[in-house]
Amino acid sequence: MPRGQKSKLRAREKRRQARTETQGLEVAKASGAAAAEKPPSSAFGDRPENLPAAGTPSTPEAPEGATGATAASSGTSSAENINSPKAESTSFRKGAESSLSEILSKKVVLLVQFLLEKYQKKEPIRKAEIIKFVIKQYKSHYNEILKRASDHMELAFGVDLKEVDPTRHWYTLLNKLDLSYDSALNEYEHMPKTGILMIVLGVIFMRGNCAPEEAIWEVLNMMGVYAERKHFIYGDPKKVLTEDLVQLKYLEYRQVANSEPPCYEFLWGPRAHAETSKMKVLEFLAKIHDTVPTAFPSWYQEALKDEEERARARAAARARTAALASAHSRARASTSSQAK
């Protein structure tokens, strides 16, 4: 088989594999459309040069009938081609590869479930347990399964899988936001909202730090999330965005001045400014697009400027704290000397 045709078949297999994983995650309710679908570049604005639109395969799919046409042009009949030892070997190999691909996709689904359960119970995540309860006899594919499950956790739930003990191979899940929920709130209940929040914060950032409501839903609709339709991960998406995340001060939701009929827009809330940054959000969106933040030059420059301003603010805060401590120390010393 020509090398180019093999490449096309491999690309087709990868897309089939991604669909299998997505379906499995939906059934398991362990991940969702946010992990499998990617928001369209048009909703964020112009995408960087040479950057493919999110969700667009980098390799074109082989035309229907290409394999048959190739076989026919070789001067060999279809029956002879199918029944030849070489064809039987190729068919068997393809079947085996397809079977393994489906097994690994199921392992990814199981591992996502396993990670969510560990997160909920606040238990350490150990490589030995992952192999024992999830990977089992497919240890040689451990790294691939772990990477794919980690990507799903990040894109669907906004949490990163980090190795905290390289010697014993222990991991932990870290929320992409520096969450500081009130003690009365259960962080696990809010975890699924982090993924959708990061997407919304990204749209707001890329729309000039203020996004009309319709722009937000344009992106979410492409992900299978609709304002008036219950979602199996996010529940009532409209309530999540316009009430829950507003009450938690991650988003601001306000009526556009002088709009008739009333139109609404979203901005970052004070808690979003405190617990994440434009650079973190840009890194998250770049991963969705399978690229790097510098592929978005104007937004990257704005994110860099934001990082510099944050660094100056932290330095100024430390200086104020040091000055107050010094003044307090001098006052105590003065009081002590007067007493003598």
Side-chain angles (χ1 to χ4, degrees):
M1 183 183 295
R3 183 177 300 174
Q5 196 166 336
K6 287 182 179 178
S7 175
K8 292 175 182 177
L9 290 174
R10 281 197 299 270
R12 178 183 292 179
E13 173 59 23
K14 284 183 179 179
R15 290 193 292 275
R16 187 204 60 75
Q17 173 181 297
R19 287 194 296 271
T20 301
E21 281 182 18
T22 302
Q23 292 166 358
L25 289 168
E26 287 179 348
V27 172
K29 296 195 175 188
S31 183
E37 300 289 344
K38 299 179 180 180
S41 300
S42 60
F44 292 109
D46 294 333
R47 64 177 184 269
E49 190 177 356
N50 299 325
L51 177 67
T56 303
S58 58
T59 307
E61 190 170 345
E64 292 297 327
T67 303
T70 304
S73 65
S74 67
T76 308
S77 69
S78 303
E80 289 174 346
N81 190 52
I82 292 172
N83 293 323
S84 68
K86 184 176 181 180
E88 288 180 357
S89 174
T90 302
S91 178
F92 176 80
R93 188 168 61 251
K94 286 181 180 177
E97 289 174 354
S98 177
S99 177
L100 176 62
S101 175
E102 291 176 0
I103 290 171
L104 296 184
S105 294
K106 290 177 182 177
K107 293 294 182 183
V108 172
V109 173
L110 290 173
L111 182 51
V112 169
Q113 289 180 297
F114 178 84
L115 295 174
L116 286 171
E117 185 175 347
K118 287 291 185 179
Y119 189 95
Q120 181 182 19
K121 295 180 178 179
K122 300 187 183 298
E123 294 178 351
I125 301 165
R126 302 179 178 91
K127 178 178 179 179
E129 290 184 342
I130 293 175
I131 292 175
K132 180 179 179 180
F133 297 113
V134 180
I135 307 294
K136 298 182 178 179
Q137 70 267 36
Y138 296 93
K139 288 189 289 186
S140 61
H141 299 278
Y142 175 82
N143 289 336
E144 177 189 350
I145 295 169
L146 185 69
K147 174 66 167 59
R148 283 158 56 180
S150 176
D151 287 344
H152 279 300
M153 294 296 292
E154 180 180 5
L155 299 180
F157 300 112
V159 291
D160 289 324
L161 183 69
K162 299 289 186 183
E163 188 172 32
V164 292
D165 188 336
T167 303
R168 293 184 293 177
H169 299 291
W170 284 24
Y171 306 89
T172 189
L173 287 166
L174 300 175
N175 206 301
K176 296 189 80 68
L177 297 176
D178 297 325
L179 293 177
S180 58
Y181 289 122
D182 298 334
S183 57
L185 296 174
N186 183 334
E187 184 177 339
Y188 178 72
E189 292 177 355
H190 293 274
M191 185 189 70
K193 298 175 186 175
T194 306
I196 193 172
L197 174 60
M198 293 294 282
I199 294 291
V200 172
L201 292 177
V203 178
I204 295 170
F205 170 37
M206 293 182 167
R207 295 291 295 239
N209 301 310
C210 180
E213 184 174 13
E214 57 267 26
I216 300 292
W217 290 113
E218 180 185 350
V219 174
L220 296 180
N221 288 173
M222 291 294 182
M223 295 166 53
V225 180
Y226 299 91
E228 307 303 332
R229 190 181 303 174
K230 187 175 179 63
H231 191 271
F232 71 90
I233 288 180
Y234 306 125
D236 182 346
K238 188 172 180 66
K239 179 177 179 294
V240 168
L241 296 188
T242 61
E243 296 181 31
D244 297 350
L245 293 173
V246 171
Q247 290 172 4
L248 290 169
K249 300 188 183 302
Y250 285 107
L251 294 175
E252 288 186 19
Y253 180 65
R254 69 187 187 189
Q255 183 176 341
V256 177
N258 303 318
S259 59
E260 186 61 41
C263 298
Y264 294 85
E265 60 189 4
F266 284 95
L267 297 87
W268 283 34
R271 207 159 178 178
H273 284 288
E275 298 179 10
T276 190
S277 67
K278 291 179 179 179
M279 187 61 77
K280 287 182 180 179
V281 170
L282 187 59
E283 288 170 351
F284 180 81
L285 295 177
K287 184 153 189 175
I288 289 177
H289 286 276
D290 194 25
T291 186
V292 293
T294 51
F296 305 89
S298 60
W299 295 317
Y300 182 70
Q301 289 302 318
E302 184 176 345
L304 276 181
K305 183 179 177 182
D306 180 63
E307 291 293 299
E308 292 169 357
E309 291 173 354
R310 286 170 177 268
R312 285 195 294 269
R314 287 193 296 268
R318 285 195 297 268
R320 285 194 299 271
T321 301
L324 288 172
S326 177
H328 183 65
S329 178
R330 287 196 302 270
R332 289 184 62 183
S334 176
T335 302
S336 177
S337 64
Q338 289 176 4
K340 293 179 181 179

